[in-house]
Amino acid sequence: MSRLQSALFEYAHYHGMLSDRVRLEAYRAAIQATVKPGDVVVDLGAGTGILGLWALQAGASKVYAIEESNAIDLAVDIAKANGLDGQIEFINDNSMNVTLPEKANVLVSETLGSFGIDENTLAFTGDARDRFLEAGGALIPRRLDLYAAPFDDAGIYDKIDFWRHIPGIDFSPAFDVFSRKLMVEDVGADSLLGPPSAIAAIDLTAPLETVFESRLHMQIDRPGTLHGVAGWFRATLADGVDIITSPGDPSTHWKQAVLPFREPIDVIRGDVLDWSMRLEPKAPQSDDTQISYDYRCTQMRNELDLEGTGRNDPCPCGSGRKFKTCCGR
């Protein structure tokens, strides 16, 4: 990728984030509620520098803005345009290589992926908190709650199944790759096949493990075709200030994380999805992660005699509901 192409890619990336009113309003409110006059603030993964600039407007006396990419060049110019460059020190490096001359009162970052922690958030936050922040200092965000649910969306699944239907060429290696990768998609609340399951409640002020593992048993509440698992997060930025990226909440640039299944699974009410995942850094000091996951789902439809069941008959799955409002839908 050329430097021009890289710059255009980054512009599109930051355009999405800076157009996200949910994100911007929550972070600005949290910074105003947390930063006190005279505070020293670290902006971790500063990007275009907006969080650090808001910290200065809230009364911070000094901001250390740490950003590894060349977006920092734009951040410097934006700070100058706002007359705030004298109070902000831009550091163009990986935060794990940085040493600061003083401890900060506040650590603010927005290193959140669509699944909350899929930008190696835990490793970078833990390192920065332990080395840059004074004892008892404030973190924004300070807590992450992760959720997941089974979903039915043929349109999303078609984006990976597409690779198996290229005319005249076997693209199955591409299908093998993309059917095991996290996708970022808008998942409709009405496509969820069961209630959300809480994966984890992560206190970012406490000791953090860089490898994250979870196993869930998710209930299927209605019949449909299971295409994978959708994930999202709640980030607690300050008291009363949260960002929620669930399918039922206002849309954000994060959308939802989608972990697709290789093959769709027909399910009915009462089925149970046994799903486990492991998330870890791809390499030391990398903001990229690798996610592996396994799953097994009961298929009660294969064990029940649904043929000939009347719409008003009791459902064979044993729910006690009429067939037409349960597995017959």
Side-chain angles (χ1 to χ4, degrees):
M1 183 182 291
S2 71
R3 186 174 181 83
L4 175 60
Q5 289 173 318
S6 177
L8 290 173
F9 174 80
E10 286 186 3
Y11 170 78
H13 175 63
Y14 287 115
H15 177 271
M17 291 193 294
L18 293 170
S19 300
D20 185 343
R21 305 311 301 178
V22 173
R23 170 185 180 268
L24 293 182
E25 290 170 9
Y27 265 93
R28 191 172 191 181
I31 288 169
Q32 290 175 338
T34 304
V35 175
K36 299 177 176 60
D39 275 352
V40 174
V41 176
V42 171
D43 182 1
L44 180 66
T48 56
I50 191 170
L51 303 185
L53 298 179
W54 279 340
L56 291 174
Q57 290 178 343
S61 60
K62 177 77 174 185
V63 169
Y64 294 97
I66 306 172
E67 172 58 45
E68 188 173 18
S69 78
N70 58 16
I72 200 166
D73 298 332
L74 180 57
V76 170
D77 290 340
I78 292 171
K80 288 179 180 178
N82 287 272
L84 295 171
D85 51 308
Q87 297 169 267
I88 187 164
E89 181 176 335
F90 291 96
I91 303 170
N92 189 194
D93 203 345
N94 185 297
S95 64
M96 292 185 179
N97 297 328
V98 173
T99 301
L100 297 180
E102 59 184 324
K103 292 289 187 178
N105 308 104
V106 180
L107 171 66
V108 60
S109 67
E110 198 277 82
T111 54
L112 302 174
S114 293
F115 216 171
I117 59 175
D118 49 299
E119 291 187 4
N120 207 2
T121 304
L122 301 181
F124 280 99
T125 301
D127 175 75
R129 181 201 63 201
D130 293 345
R131 295 193 302 112
F132 301 154
L133 194 62
E134 68 176 5
L139 278 81
I140 305 174
R142 65 190 187 201
R143 175 186 168 107
L144 293 174
D145 293 277
L146 310 183
Y147 303 90
F151 77 94
D152 176 346
D153 190 317
I156 291 176
Y157 181 75
D158 283 347
K159 292 181 181 181
I160 59 168
D161 191 46
F162 153 85
W163 295 103
R164 295 194 287 194
H165 304 284
I166 306 295
I169 300 293
D170 181 0
F171 267 77
S172 59
F175 173 82
D176 291 339
V177 169
F178 294 117
S179 64
R180 302 297 295 184
K181 279 188 173 293
L182 184 149
M183 304 166 68
V184 177
E185 300 286 343
D186 277 313
V187 178
D190 59 354
S191 73
L192 300 183
L193 289 169
S197 296
I199 300 177
I202 302 173
D203 181 358
L204 296 175
T205 70
L208 299 172
E209 297 290 336
T210 59
V211 176
F212 177 84
E213 293 182 295
S214 178
R215 183 178 181 181
L216 299 173
H217 290 87
M218 303 185 200
Q219 189 72 32
I220 304 297
D221 274 0
R222 64 179 181 86
T225 302
L226 177 56
H227 291 108
V229 167
W232 60 90
F233 66 87
R234 174 196 294 265
T236 300
L237 307 186
D239 287 342
V241 183
D242 297 283
I243 294 174
I244 307 172
T245 64
S246 81
D249 282 283
S251 182
T252 70
H253 81 282
W254 286 287
K255 302 181 182 179
Q256 285 79 44
V258 166
L259 300 168
F261 292 174
R262 285 181 61 88
E263 302 294 341
I265 302 172
D266 288 332
V267 293
I268 62 173
R269 179 182 173 87
D271 276 322
V272 176
L273 173 63
D274 180 357
W275 182 79
S276 60
M277 67 164 288
R278 177 184 174 93
L279 186 149
E280 57 192 321
K282 274 194 173 178
Q285 299 192 3
S286 170
D287 62 359
D288 201 2
T289 53
Q290 55 187 14
I291 299 178
S292 56
Y293 53 99
D294 290 301
Y295 52 90
R296 181 179 63 85
C297 189
T298 61
Q299 291 181 272
M300 293 176 56
R301 181 178 294 275
N302 296 336
E303 302 171 12
L304 299 174
D305 182 12
L306 302 182
E307 295 297 328
T309 304
R311 288 178 54 76
N312 292 312
D313 292 343
C315 187
C317 76
S319 67
R321 303 171 68 190
K322 293 181 179 180
F323 179 62
K324 66 182 179 182
T325 58
C326 191
C327 298
R329 289 187 294 171

